[in-house]
Amino acid sequence: MPMNFGRKWWSLVAMMAAVLLTASCAGAGAIGSGDGRRVLRVAVVSNPQMEDMQELVGEFEQQHPDVRVRFISLPENQARDKITQSVATGSGQFDVVMVSNYETPIWAANGWLHDLDSRMTATPGYDKDDFIPSIRESLSYQGRMHAAPFYGETALLNYRKDLFQQAGLTMPENPTWQQVADMAAKLDDDASGRAGICLRGLPGWGEVMAPLNTMINSFGGRWFDPQWNAQLDSPEVREAANFYVNLVRDYGEPGASSSGFSECLTEFGQGNAAMMFDSTSSAGTLEDPKESNVSGKVGYANAPTGPGGKPASWLYTWALAVPKTTEMPDEAWDFIAWSTSKDYLRTVGENLGWQNLPPGSRQSTYEMPEYKKAAAAFGQQTLHGIGRVDQTKPSSQPTPYEGLQFVRIPEFVDLGTRVSQQMSAAISGAKTVDEALEQAQQYAETVGENYRP
């Protein structure tokens, strides 16, 4: 598969970002905390699992009394921009960064990340072979891991069992998208403020484009053909995009164009939606009675399938990596080894509840008796879903790229964001789907030209 890691493109990103970082960067290099300890700066995405890590970090600091951890926690879009700018410019702003299976192979090829494979092997009890193989491979470059998974995810269709029973509906184990739309129409209830389904509409390649891309793939669509001709105006993409936009506009949550993962999780958890198609990382929160009004009422079906029977496959992982610019690589690895270890998982379970374990990273998680009981409703489906996906074949048609919720090329940061803005505008009603795809096709054609001889 052709892979062009686009150093020139990233250099342009770096030059543009440098201006922005001048005002916001705290300065390169390790800094002191005022009490003699060195500060380890950890940039993460704000979500429930990261909040748990911050609550438990005292354990790491007790084990490493010379280090104080400072978290920089931001919403996904902001965190992605800030981390990318920092690493691309080599500013040294962070010692540990949260990255995904999109960035890791690209950044490793550019020489921006430390190779963690040897450290993983040399750390007693770390057991890198325990990571789920598809997750481990997605974070590897030339067979060596450059990031450690904090959690991994696929997607399931969450649904309210009680509402389905009241309506006389039965959720199939492997629903089709058309069945999902039909059920959403029956369960949508404006009078009670309940949406038939909650789907992301917030701009961002990691927001609306994550579920939308999986739907496009399941309809047989793709971003590029093997010759890098853009395909965003193809009949398959048009059918999928219209289906997604109509579904969320007709039966989705109010203000859907402003709803991302966090907003949908809140809406569904408060009981304001009958279904939610999204990451399996939501399940732990939904089953926590302290966080959710629907704990014990949620069923989990496999990802819906498109017209040809292909499921809306999803594979993603939030992982921790060490930028080459850090002055504290040893301390950075110590932190990663602590937060991605088997012991950390047990610490979360014993202190915060077994349903809150970061899922989808280690196979041994699914062998813990306490977790098997707490995650009985969704645990094995999550493990099976992560294990069966193949991100090398996103569509039923051939593609020159890898990735299920993204196109793994450097330009996708900008391309995916631009296309997401078009699709969010279609969801809000600011433009039609055809108008959005016409503009998206132009963006993609420009990128495709870079890859054609």
Side-chain angles (χ1 to χ4, degrees):
M1 182 191 69
M3 286 291 284
N4 181 339
F5 291 116
R7 287 177 178 275
K8 290 183 179 178
W9 187 89
W10 281 110
S11 297
L12 178 60
V13 170
M15 286 188 291
M16 295 171 63
V19 176
L20 299 174
L21 282 171
T22 300
S24 60
C25 180
I31 57 177
S33 63
D35 57 6
R37 294 185 292 172
R38 303 185 81 198
V39 174
L40 188 75
R41 299 154 302 180
V42 179
V44 299
V45 172
S46 177
N47 64 33
Q49 283 80 14
M50 296 303 112
E51 292 170 3
D52 290 346
M53 180 198 287
Q54 294 173 56
E55 186 173 341
L56 297 171
V57 74
E59 179 183 88
F60 172 81
E61 292 179 332
Q62 286 181 352
Q63 296 170 3
H64 301 79
D66 296 333
V67 177
R68 185 169 73 83
V69 178
R70 176 187 295 169
F71 286 99
I72 300 90
S73 181
L74 296 167
E76 180 171 329
N77 283 346
Q78 294 178 38
R80 196 184 299 280
D81 288 347
K82 200 170 187 65
I83 290 170
T84 299
Q85 291 166 8
S86 173
V87 176
T89 58
S91 72
Q93 193 176 7
F94 307 122
D95 303 298
V96 176
V97 292
M98 179 156 273
V99 293
S100 73
N101 47 322
Y102 164 73
E103 292 95 352
T104 300
I106 298 175
W107 291 7
N110 286 353
W112 295 349
L113 300 178
H114 279 276
D115 180 344
L116 300 182
D117 211 88
S118 298
R119 289 183 182 270
M120 290 179 178
T121 301
T123 300
Y126 189 71
D127 192 8
K128 72 171 186 177
D129 292 334
D130 183 41
F131 291 129
I132 297 172
S134 59
I135 294 293
R136 187 172 64 229
E137 292 163 8
S138 74
L139 296 173
S140 297
Y141 172 65
Q142 295 184 337
R144 300 181 66 80
M145 294 186 72
H146 285 68
F150 185 71
Y151 68 78
E153 59 187 42
T154 184
L156 295 174
L157 180 64
N158 308 334
Y159 67 97
R160 288 277 302 280
K161 294 184 293 186
D162 55 331
L163 297 179
F164 270 65
Q165 184 176 16
Q166 292 169 17
L169 296 173
T170 301
M171 174 63 78
E173 182 178 358
N174 298 292
T176 65
W177 278 117
Q178 187 56 57
Q179 288 174 320
V180 172
D182 293 343
M183 292 184 289
K186 293 178 179 176
L187 293 168
D188 187 70
D189 186 352
D190 290 340
S192 64
R194 186 184 69 220
I197 189 168
C198 203
L199 288 170
R200 303 185 196 184
L202 183 69
W205 71 259
E207 291 288 1
V208 64
M209 293 313 299
L212 177 54
N213 257 337
T214 68
M215 182 182 284
I216 289 173
N217 292 336
S218 72
F219 275 64
R222 53 186 172 175
W223 286 65
F224 298 99
D225 70 12
Q227 290 73 45
W228 289 97
N229 296 303
Q231 299 292 305
L232 293 183
D233 62 353
S234 68
E236 295 85 358
V237 174
R238 285 187 185 280
E239 183 180 6
N242 274 290
F243 192 96
Y244 190 98
V245 171
N246 290 338
L247 179 58
V248 74
R249 282 180 61 82
D250 291 344
Y251 311 119
E253 70 280 15
S257 62
S258 301
S259 295
F261 169 72
S262 297
E263 290 78 12
C264 277
L265 181 59
T266 299
E267 286 293 309
F268 190 82
Q270 290 180 345
N272 297 330
M275 291 182 284
M276 171 186 175
F277 173 67
D278 215 301
S279 161
T280 48
S281 65
S282 64
T285 301
L286 295 176
E287 297 298 340
D288 185 348
K290 298 178 182 176
E291 303 286 342
S292 167
N293 294 334
V294 298
S295 173
K297 300 178 180 178
V298 183
Y300 301 88
N302 292 324
T305 59
K310 183 177 178 60
S313 298
W314 175 306
L315 180 69
Y316 200 75
T317 172
W318 278 119
L320 298 172
V322 182
K324 282 285 186 67
T325 50
T326 180
E327 294 180 2
M328 303 173 66
D330 293 338
E331 293 86 349
W333 166 248
D334 287 344
F335 175 80
I336 292 175
W338 168 76
S339 58
T340 61
S341 67
K342 295 178 183 177
D343 288 343
Y344 176 82
L345 295 171
R346 185 158 289 281
T347 298
V348 172
E350 293 174 347
N351 290 275
L352 304 177
W354 291 97
Q355 73 279 357
N356 292 319
L357 262 63
S361 59
R362 290 185 173 275
Q363 299 173 84
S364 58
T365 300
Y366 298 88
E367 298 170 358
M368 294 180 177
E370 301 94 335
Y371 185 70
K372 289 173 72 173
K373 181 179 179 181
F378 59 87
Q380 288 305 310
Q381 273 183 289
T382 299
L383 180 62
H384 179 67
I386 292 175
R388 71 177 180 177
V389 297
D390 183 359
Q391 66 174 0
T392 67
K393 297 177 181 176
S395 173
S396 56
Q397 300 189 75
T399 66
Y401 58 84
E402 293 183 354
L404 297 171
Q405 300 102 289
F406 51 77
V407 177
R408 189 184 278 159
I409 55 175
E411 295 89 342
F412 190 72
V413 173
D414 181 62
L415 174 60
T417 299
R418 288 174 181 267
V419 173
S420 76
Q421 292 166 345
Q422 295 299 313
M423 299 315 303
S424 185
I427 290 170
S428 72
K431 58 174 53 180
T432 67
V433 172
D434 284 346
E435 290 170 341
L437 290 179
E438 181 180 354
Q439 184 62 64
Q441 173 74 2
Q442 292 178 21
Y443 294 146
E445 286 176 346
T446 300
V447 171
E449 289 172 359
N450 297 333
Y451 289 84
R452 290 197 290 273

